[in-house]
Amino acid sequence: MTQRIVVIEGDGIGTEVVPAAVDVLEAFDIDFEFVAAEAGDAVKAETGEALPAATYEAAANADATLFGAAGETAADVILPLRDAVDSFVNVRPAKAYPGVEALRPETDVVFLRENTEGVYSGHEDRLSDDLSTLTRVVTSSASRELAEFACEFVDDGRGPDHQDGFTVAHKANVMRETDGRFREEVLAVAEERGVDADEELMDAFATKLPLDPTQYGVVVCPNLAGDVLSDLAAGLVGGLGLLPSANIGHDNALFEPVHGTAPDIAGEGVANPTAAILSAAMLLEYLGYVAEGERVREAVERVLADGPRTGDLGGSATTDEVTAAVVDRL
């Protein structure tokens, strides 16, 4: 059965790393149909829309979407795209790899981030020259849905081997009604499902993670906390160029590297394709090609260990050279 993959390169190095990920997917004998679509700054400059309706519809009707990055229009692109695939959880692994200089080479953490609510709900107002407001939204239903996913995630053994269960990171001691509701619902689901769950205040977590990342395995977070804390973890493993992510919905999903457009190196052919390729590995696993996804991950680890490497990892290879090395190892 043909599976339709919408490919949105976006801006900056997205136009370089997303084709690298497609090259890796094409290395397998899988019946994928790749459908190109547009979004981002360049599209807005040309059409007036950062995310054309045709792109939204293509993502909504695909089996999965692979997205690169958007620049100034990022919020106008990624938030609607997550809506298009009905995403309720953002999965962000942060793992140190052999051969990559890492601040904490023992790091192996997966963040499960609520993907629809919190301060990213878009309820902002400028009420006067002196006053702006932001309304934070937290519902029991979305919190429980994330918790159910987290329980299934750890029950299926998809978390790091060194930790059982998960940790809930929150700030319920200050945001008592919003994070309080989130904390209560997530812990309640864990108890109902018989899954071990502990908790950590997010600011304490931000201190403890760099000191000893082995304390944590799977971390369940509200939206903003997951965004910030996963980027903190990136600094422990060698940078954002190594971090993939998945936006999982009920019948659809969106996969993207988390590094952004990197305008300082865009167009030079030296961008690190690792995060985009690892996002493709997550896409394969999501569609049921678990062995193929693991093969991609193993190939990436071998290339990171043995080379070639791009400049951000101390090498001098181009994007194409690293991609070819991964494909060769497949």
Side-chain angles (χ1 to χ4, degrees):
M1 180 180 69
T2 301
Q3 291 178 303
R4 176 173 293 187
I5 311 299
V6 170
V7 179
I8 308 171
E9 295 180 359
D11 302 312
I13 63 171
T15 63
E16 301 164 62
V17 299
V18 170
V22 172
D23 285 348
V24 169
L25 291 173
E26 288 182 329
F28 294 100
D29 187 21
I30 300 174
D31 190 10
F32 284 143
E33 176 191 1
F34 295 100
V35 179
E38 296 182 325
D41 295 357
V43 178
K44 183 175 182 179
E46 182 178 344
T47 68
E49 293 182 304
L51 184 68
T55 300
Y56 182 97
E57 290 300 320
N61 294 310
D63 292 294
T65 296
L66 187 60
F67 172 61
E72 295 297 323
T73 58
D76 299 321
V77 174
I78 190 59
L79 296 181
L81 278 178
R82 289 171 180 166
D83 176 73
V85 303
D86 191 27
S87 172
F88 62 90
V89 58
N90 180 263
V91 183
R92 285 194 180 185
K95 181 179 179 180
Y97 295 101
V100 177
E101 184 175 349
L103 185 63
R104 290 294 184 188
E106 66 273 31
T107 304
D108 187 2
V109 184
V110 180
F111 292 87
L112 304 181
R113 165 189 168 195
E114 201 287 317
N115 217 23
T116 65
E117 298 185 335
V119 295
Y120 288 2
S121 300
H123 302 294
E124 288 190 272
D125 290 291
R126 180 168 294 190
L127 301 181
S128 71
D129 292 340
D130 184 55
L131 175 64
S132 294
T133 63
L134 171 63
T135 300
R136 189 167 191 257
V137 177
V138 175
T139 65
S140 294
S141 56
S143 301
R144 291 184 67 87
E145 187 168 43
L146 173 63
E148 293 283 357
F149 181 92
C151 290
E152 292 174 7
F153 191 88
V154 298
D155 280 346
D156 292 344
R158 287 183 280 169
D161 294 334
H162 64 277
Q163 290 282 342
D164 296 323
F166 59 78
T167 299
V168 186
H170 60 80
K171 194 64 177 170
N173 61 327
V174 174
M175 295 179 285
R176 296 174 182 173
E177 290 301 324
T178 50
D179 263 27
R181 180 185 294 272
F182 177 84
R183 169 190 174 275
E184 291 166 8
E185 298 293 356
V186 173
L187 291 176
V189 170
E191 183 176 4
E192 293 164 11
R193 295 284 298 268
V195 172
D196 291 336
D198 57 14
E199 57 182 306
E200 195 80 80
L201 294 175
M202 66 178 69
D203 47 352
F205 179 93
T207 297
K208 293 180 179 180
L209 180 70
L211 294 175
D212 180 12
T214 64
Q215 298 176 81
Y216 306 106
V218 175
V219 184
V220 178
C221 305
N223 205 334
L224 176 61
D227 195 2
V228 174
L229 294 175
S230 60
D231 279 9
L232 170 65
L236 305 181
V237 303
L240 289 171
L242 298 170
L243 266 62
S245 74
N247 300 278
I248 305 297
H250 300 95
D251 299 300
N252 202 340
L254 168 73
F255 301 84
E256 56 171 327
V258 301
H259 50 55
T261 60
D264 55 323
I265 60 169
E268 298 181 10
V270 297
N272 185 351
T274 299
I277 292 172
L278 290 174
S279 296
M282 297 179 78
L283 182 153
L284 285 166
E285 291 167 339
Y286 168 77
L287 292 175
Y289 303 103
V290 176
E292 289 84 351
E294 184 57 30
R295 283 180 59 195
V296 172
R297 193 170 288 107
E298 291 173 354
V300 167
E301 290 189 18
R302 288 179 59 190
V303 171
L304 290 172
D306 303 334
R309 304 186 193 96
T310 47
D312 60 313
L313 300 181
S316 59
T318 66
T319 307
D320 289 345
E321 288 169 343
V322 172
T323 304
V326 173
V327 172
D328 181 62
R329 281 161 177 77
L330 288 172

